[in-house]
Amino acid sequence: MADEGKSNCMKDIKVDKLVLNCCVGESGDRLTRAARVLEQLTGQQPVYSKARYTLRTFGIRRNEKIAVHVTVRGEKALEILERGLKVKEYELLQQNFSSTGNFGFGINEHIDLGIKYDPTTGIYGMDFFVCLTRPGSRVAKRKVRQGRIGKSHKVTKEDSIKWFQDKFEGVVLAKPV
């Protein structure tokens, strides 16, 4: 066999996108400041999310803007993910990984990411959510000649945990400490 030492490049896992979400729970000045924080971090214009239904206990009305999020792709996504994992000390829980091979985690203070503290802005926490994919996944998403991805080519929970441990030398804990 000539290809014993080679690995299949189609099996390599890569970051499809990183979604940063900052939910404030109210519209107004706090939400615009949170949007400014996300714009500083990513260099992209964030999108506002609306409440799906009214929650009187939280004082939220339906269709009220309550959160901001931004989707980052490519090298910038890896760089921001690295900074976020550094805050978490490269430790994630097993429950942070989904069955479809994606994972997410949250941080409490955005200033841990290296952004300088500004008293007028305040401190915001945010959620990181990472979507992992393999080359060829566009076959299932495209409009013309759409196909299906086989079970062996889909990213599983075990694949994403192994990728996280190999790429970042991360630790996956079974239970919260």
Side-chain angles (χ1 to χ4, degrees):
M1 292 295 250
D3 58 346
E4 278 184 26
K6 297 178 187 171
S7 64
N8 188 353
C9 66
M10 292 297 280
K11 284 282 190 181
D12 294 342
I13 295 175
K14 63 181 183 190
V15 174
D16 183 31
K17 62 184 174 182
L18 167 69
V19 180
L20 295 170
N21 178 45
C22 186
C23 186
V24 179
E26 62 185 68
S27 58
D29 197 36
R30 281 190 66 207
L31 190 62
T32 54
R33 290 196 306 247
R36 199 175 329 129
V37 166
L38 283 181
E39 194 169 356
Q40 276 180 334
L41 184 63
T42 60
Q44 293 176 214
Q45 186 71 37
V47 179
Y48 292 93
S49 301
K50 294 178 177 178
R52 290 185 294 182
Y53 41 81
T54 302
L55 288 172
R56 277 190 149 170
T57 53
F58 296 128
I60 297 172
R61 290 185 305 281
R62 188 171 183 267
N63 288 333
E64 181 183 9
K65 293 180 180 177
I66 58 168
V68 285
H69 68 274
V70 65
T71 302
V72 189
R73 298 175 193 269
E75 286 299 315
K76 191 187 283 186
L78 276 173
E79 182 244 317
I80 294 171
L81 175 62
E82 178 87 42
R83 285 161 58 184
L85 286 170
K86 198 179 289 181
V87 173
K88 296 294 277 186
E89 296 171 349
Y90 299 97
E91 286 185 0
L92 293 179
L93 300 175
Q94 198 140 20
Q95 66 191 30
N96 289 30
F97 292 86
S98 73
S99 60
T100 53
N102 305 317
F103 67 94
F105 59 93
I107 60 167
N108 293 328
E109 299 179 350
H110 74 273
I111 54 174
D112 294 336
L113 295 170
I115 298 176
K116 193 168 180 292
Y117 174 67
D118 183 14
T120 58
T121 304
I123 293 178
Y124 293 96
M126 60 186 67
D127 302 319
F128 285 67
F129 197 76
V130 182
C131 296
L132 299 177
T133 186
R134 285 196 165 112
S137 62
R138 183 178 167 269
V139 169
K141 292 184 173 30
R142 66 189 178 191
K143 191 168 179 130
V144 179
R145 289 192 45 86
Q146 189 172 14
R148 285 189 298 211
I149 296 196
K151 190 172 171 104
S152 63
H153 199 66
K154 289 181 180 170
V155 182
T156 62
K157 182 174 186 172
E158 290 75 30
D159 291 337
S160 60
I161 289 174
K162 186 177 180 327
W163 177 85
F164 170 69
Q165 289 170 336
D166 293 345
K167 180 101 172 159
F168 298 105
E169 286 103 31
V171 179
V172 178
L173 304 171
K175 291 190 173 110
V177 179

